[in-house]
Amino acid sequence: MSKILGVVAMYLALILAGCTPAPPSVAGDGYTAQIIVKFSDATMNPSENIFVDQLSHDAGARLIYVRPMSGAAHVFEVRGLHDAAELQEVLRRLAKRSGVVYAEEDRVRRAQ
């Protein structure tokens, strides 16, 4: 019984500690972030270079395909940004694109 209480106490401590977003990385070419983009057509292959080039053009920033996620969502890295405001503009532009259900920042959460 005491093991169960110890496990429950540990989970409660983790929940109460809260989470904060990880800081974005800054590469030599500027601010770099990862985004998640969900497409309405689950059969398409957004990892193809031509598609990534078109998506980059529409976003107004250099995108690099990272990996697929479940539910027709995919992770892209955005490079060459100057700041977080520019990332928000990229997300806004992608969200307006035909075939995009949503575009959001991929935030890694870490316990404090």
Side-chain angles (χ1 to χ4, degrees):
M1 184 70 169
S2 65
K3 277 188 174 182
I4 293 173
L5 289 176
V7 171
V8 170
M10 180 183 70
Y11 282 117
L12 284 175
L14 289 173
I15 291 170
L16 292 175
C19 294
T20 59
S25 64
V26 178
D29 58 350
Y31 178 78
T32 301
Q34 284 194 163
I35 61 172
I36 299 171
V37 182
K38 180 173 180 171
F39 300 97
S40 56
D41 182 1
T43 62
M44 65 185 289
N45 183 4
S47 67
E48 294 177 358
N49 289 335
I50 289 177
F51 183 82
V52 174
D53 289 344
Q54 292 170 347
L55 199 62
S56 294
H57 179 267
D58 292 347
R62 182 172 169 222
L63 300 181
I64 302 200
Y65 186 81
V66 176
R67 64 182 170 82
M69 294 180 65
S70 62
H74 298 267
V75 178
F76 293 86
E77 187 174 278
V78 186
R79 292 192 178 167
L81 300 171
H82 294 94
D83 55 28
E86 194 172 356
L87 175 62
Q88 293 306 311
E89 177 62 18
V90 167
L91 293 171
R92 186 191 66 75
R93 291 179 71 167
L94 286 173
K96 288 175 48 178
R97 188 178 195 271
S98 175
V100 171
V101 177
Y102 65 80
E104 63 184 33
E105 187 174 3
D106 182 18
R107 297 182 186 175
V108 177
R109 300 262 184 199
R110 295 185 183 155
Q112 286 184 331

